[in-house]
Short mmCIF file of all heavy atoms in Angstrom, two decimals:
data_model
loop_
_atom_site.label_atom_id
_atom_site.label_comp_id
_atom_site.label_asym_id
_atom_site.label_seq_id
_atom_site.Cartn_x
_atom_site.Cartn_y
_atom_site.Cartn_z
N THR U 227 102.57 112.50 124.90
CA THR U 227 103.09 112.09 123.60
C THR U 227 102.71 110.65 123.32
O THR U 227 102.86 109.78 124.18
CB THR U 227 104.63 112.23 123.56
OG1 THR U 227 104.97 113.60 123.74
CG2 THR U 227 105.18 111.75 122.23
N PHE U 228 102.20 110.40 122.11
CA PHE U 228 101.91 109.05 121.66
C PHE U 228 103.20 108.40 121.17
O PHE U 228 103.90 108.94 120.31
CB PHE U 228 100.91 109.06 120.50
CG PHE U 228 99.50 109.38 120.89
CD1 PHE U 228 99.07 110.70 120.95
CD2 PHE U 228 98.60 108.37 121.19
CE1 PHE U 228 97.77 111.00 121.30
CE2 PHE U 228 97.29 108.67 121.55
CZ PHE U 228 96.88 109.98 121.61
N PHE U 229 103.51 107.21 121.70
CA PHE U 229 104.62 106.41 121.20
C PHE U 229 104.03 105.13 120.61
O PHE U 229 103.21 104.46 121.24
CB PHE U 229 105.59 106.06 122.33
CG PHE U 229 106.30 107.25 122.92
CD1 PHE U 229 105.78 107.89 124.03
CD2 PHE U 229 107.47 107.74 122.36
CE1 PHE U 229 106.41 108.99 124.58
CE2 PHE U 229 108.11 108.83 122.90
CZ PHE U 229 107.59 109.47 124.02
N THR U 230 104.44 104.80 119.38
CA THR U 230 103.81 103.70 118.66
C THR U 230 104.75 102.50 118.56
O THR U 230 105.96 102.62 118.62
CB THR U 230 103.42 104.14 117.24
OG1 THR U 230 104.59 104.56 116.53
CG2 THR U 230 102.41 105.28 117.29
N PHE U 231 104.11 101.34 118.43
CA PHE U 231 104.84 100.08 118.28
C PHE U 231 104.22 99.31 117.13
O PHE U 231 103.00 99.31 116.98
CB PHE U 231 104.72 99.27 119.58
CG PHE U 231 105.56 98.03 119.59
CD1 PHE U 231 106.86 98.07 120.05
CD2 PHE U 231 105.05 96.83 119.13
CE1 PHE U 231 107.64 96.93 120.06
CE2 PHE U 231 105.82 95.69 119.12
CZ PHE U 231 107.11 95.73 119.59
N PRO U 232 105.05 98.67 116.28
CA PRO U 232 106.50 98.48 116.39
C PRO U 232 107.29 99.69 115.94
O PRO U 232 106.81 100.47 115.10
CB PRO U 232 106.75 97.29 115.46
CG PRO U 232 105.71 97.44 114.41
CD PRO U 232 104.49 97.93 115.12
N PRO U 233 108.51 99.86 116.45
CA PRO U 233 109.35 100.97 115.99
C PRO U 233 109.59 100.89 114.49
O PRO U 233 109.77 99.82 113.93
CB PRO U 233 110.66 100.75 116.77
CG PRO U 233 110.26 99.94 117.96
CD PRO U 233 109.16 99.06 117.50
N GLY U 234 109.55 102.04 113.85
CA GLY U 234 109.80 102.10 112.42
C GLY U 234 108.59 101.88 111.55
O GLY U 234 108.70 101.90 110.33
N SER U 235 107.41 101.68 112.15
CA SER U 235 106.19 101.50 111.37
C SER U 235 105.58 102.85 111.02
O SER U 235 105.83 103.86 111.69
CB SER U 235 105.18 100.63 112.12
OG SER U 235 104.88 101.16 113.40
N LEU U 236 104.76 102.87 109.98
CA LEU U 236 104.14 104.11 109.51
C LEU U 236 102.77 104.28 110.15
O LEU U 236 101.95 103.36 110.15
CB LEU U 236 104.01 104.07 107.98
CG LEU U 236 103.29 105.25 107.32
CD1 LEU U 236 104.02 106.57 107.60
CD2 LEU U 236 103.17 105.03 105.82
N TRP U 237 102.53 105.48 110.69
CA TRP U 237 101.26 105.81 111.32
C TRP U 237 100.76 107.15 110.78
O TRP U 237 101.53 107.92 110.17
CB TRP U 237 101.41 105.91 112.83
CG TRP U 237 101.63 104.59 113.51
CD1 TRP U 237 102.73 103.78 113.39
CD2 TRP U 237 100.75 103.94 114.42
NE1 TRP U 237 102.57 102.66 114.16
CE2 TRP U 237 101.37 102.73 114.81
CE3 TRP U 237 99.50 104.27 114.96
CZ2 TRP U 237 100.78 101.84 115.71
CZ3 TRP U 237 98.92 103.38 115.86
CH2 TRP U 237 99.54 102.19 116.22
N TYR U 238 99.48 107.43 111.03
CA TYR U 238 98.91 108.73 110.68
C TYR U 238 98.27 109.36 111.91
O TYR U 238 97.63 108.67 112.71
CB TYR U 238 97.85 108.57 109.58
CG TYR U 238 98.45 108.49 108.20
CD1 TYR U 238 99.04 107.31 107.74
CD2 TYR U 238 98.46 109.59 107.34
CE1 TYR U 238 99.61 107.24 106.49
CE2 TYR U 238 99.03 109.52 106.08
CZ TYR U 238 99.60 108.34 105.66
OH TYR U 238 100.17 108.28 104.42
N ALA U 239 98.48 110.66 112.07
CA ALA U 239 97.86 111.44 113.14
C ALA U 239 97.11 112.59 112.52
O ALA U 239 97.72 113.47 111.90
CB ALA U 239 98.92 111.96 114.12
N ASP U 240 95.79 112.56 112.64
CA ASP U 240 94.95 113.59 112.03
C ASP U 240 95.29 113.76 110.55
O ASP U 240 95.35 114.88 110.03
CB ASP U 240 95.11 114.92 112.77
CG ASP U 240 94.68 114.82 114.23
OD1 ASP U 240 93.78 114.00 114.52
OD2 ASP U 240 95.23 115.55 115.07
N GLY U 241 95.56 112.65 109.86
CA GLY U 241 95.85 112.68 108.44
C GLY U 241 97.28 112.99 108.07
O GLY U 241 97.63 113.03 106.90
N ILE U 242 98.15 113.20 109.09
CA ILE U 242 99.55 113.55 108.85
C ILE U 242 100.42 112.34 109.17
O ILE U 242 100.33 111.78 110.27
CB ILE U 242 99.97 114.75 109.71
CG1 ILE U 242 99.11 115.97 109.37
CG2 ILE U 242 101.45 115.07 109.50
CD1 ILE U 242 99.35 117.15 110.27
N PRO U 243 101.28 111.89 108.24
CA PRO U 243 102.10 110.71 108.51
C PRO U 243 103.21 110.98 109.52
O PRO U 243 103.75 112.08 109.58
CB PRO U 243 102.68 110.37 107.13
CG PRO U 243 102.69 111.67 106.40
CD PRO U 243 101.49 112.42 106.88
#
Side-chain angles (χ1 to χ4, degrees):
T227 298
F228 287 87
F229 295 93
T230 60
F231 186 90
S235 55
L236 176 60
W237 289 67
Y238 278 78
D240 299 330
I242 300 174

